[in-house]
Amino acid sequence: MLELRNVSFTVDNENGDGKVDILKDISLKIDNGFVAITGPNGGGKSTLAKIIAGVYQPTGGQILLDGEDITNLSVTDRAKKGISFAFQQPVRFKGITVNDLIRLAAGHPISVSDACDYLSQVGLCARDYINREVNASLSGGELKRIEIATVLARGTKVSLFDEPEAGIDLWSFNNLINVFERMHSTLGGSIIIISHQERILNIADKVAVIANGEVKAYGAKSDILPELLDASAEACKVLTENMKGVAE
């Protein structure tokens, strides 16, 4: 289980004469299963993901993994403890092949056949990709699926994805949904996805809403999602009425 206890993150403001609270006293308990974290832009979601992964260190509070305090561990040490992190914009590696990347992710010797199997699970033809370099020749959607293949190869306790739908086309997004559904049914541990997409929220077990650096709601999808969608519909209605008034 992943647990956040009163996690805060404060940075200097742009003028350097004060502080800005990005996250404020975040407390969450995430058991095995699929949790989607959503909320408005600038609310702190991606910062929270990077703090869980160890990219950033919190300025207050604790992070525990299966009861062990990992608050002060680096991103590398957290990865060793069992946290995988897929960036919003996957990193490209000139000179490293897809096969190399999957083998590195696995952390132990695996055959080409095994590496190809991970690619097949994310909907890529292994023959076409296994020996390709992870460079600019790959599209955003291809990179996203290769990155997910590396997460599958790691098989960690916590698999964390920051807006996996960002910058990809509709066809690739539909394939990503299928991949996450398969992960949900076959991969143990916790799957955490930062997302605005209703289709991703719909396949989650639980939904957390983060806004203004705070947890505004957290619970079963069946409890959180209807209220969230109603609020979004009402906001769209108000915006439409305001725009109509301006036009008139």
Side-chain angles (χ1 to χ4, degrees), residues 145-167:
R145 282 185 277 172
I146 290 167
E147 189 171 45
I148 294 171
T150 66
V151 172
L152 291 172
R154 292 202 68 217
T156 48
K157 298 176 183 177
V158 177
S159 301
L160 176 60
F161 301 87
D162 186 10
E163 297 195 28
E165 71 275 11

Side-chain angles (χ1 to χ4, degrees), residues 135-225:
N135 57 22
S137 70
L138 294 168
S139 71
E142 289 169 330
L143 280 171
K144 294 278 187 181
R145 282 185 277 172
I146 290 167
E147 189 171 45
I148 294 171
T150 66
V151 172
L152 291 172
R154 292 202 68 217
T156 48
K157 298 176 183 177
V158 177
S159 301
L160 176 60
F161 301 87
D162 186 10
E163 297 195 28
E165 71 275 11
I168 66 170
D169 56 68
L170 180 60
W171 187 88
S172 294
F173 177 65
N174 288 335
N175 276 276
L176 279 178
I177 292 293
N178 293 333
V179 170
F180 288 134
E181 287 177 330
R182 288 195 297 271
M183 285 183 68
H184 191 195
S185 63
T186 62
L187 190 65
S190 304
I191 300 171
I192 306 170
I193 299 185
I194 312 294
S195 181
H196 297 285
Q197 287 290 336
E198 184 180 345
R199 286 184 63 189
I200 288 179
L201 302 184
N202 266 316
I203 60 175
D205 299 311
K206 292 184 177 181
V207 174
V209 181
I210 306 290
N212 297 319
E214 300 176 320
V215 178
K216 299 299 184 181
Y218 181 50
K221 172 187 64 180
S222 57
D223 295 329
I224 303 298
L225 198 52

Side-chain angles (χ1 to χ4, degrees), residues 10-24:
T10 301
V11 298
D12 294 329
N13 67 18
E14 293 181 355
N15 298 323
D17 58 358
K19 300 289 185 180
V20 178
D21 295 324
I22 307 299
L23 297 177
K24 310 166 190 174

Side-chain angles (χ1 to χ4, degrees), residues 17 41 44-46 58 100 113 122 124 129 149-150 154 169 184 188 213:
D17 58 358
N41 288 332
K45 302 183 303 300
S46 290
D100 294 332
S113 177
V122 298
L124 294 176
Y129 288 91
T150 66
R154 292 202 68 217
D169 56 68
H184 191 195

Side-chain angles (χ1 to χ4, degrees), residues 39-113:
N41 288 332
K45 302 183 303 300
S46 290
T47 298
L48 180 61
K50 289 173 181 175
I51 281 178
I52 292 172
V55 178
Y56 299 156
Q57 292 291 325
T59 51
Q62 288 181 296
I63 303 171
L64 291 88
L65 181 62
D66 291 339
E68 179 185 357
D69 190 339
I70 62 170
T71 309
N72 297 316
L73 295 186
S74 68
V75 62
T76 301
D77 288 334
R78 291 192 200 189
K80 292 176 181 177
K81 292 289 184 182
I83 296 179
S84 294
F85 181 47
F87 288 86
Q88 187 176 135
Q89 298 296 331
V91 180
R92 300 174 191 270
F93 300 94
K94 186 177 180 180
I96 294 180
T97 67
V98 172
N99 187 31
D100 294 332
L101 195 61
I102 293 175
R103 286 181 167 181
L104 286 169
H108 57 82
I110 63 171
S111 67
V112 173
S113 177

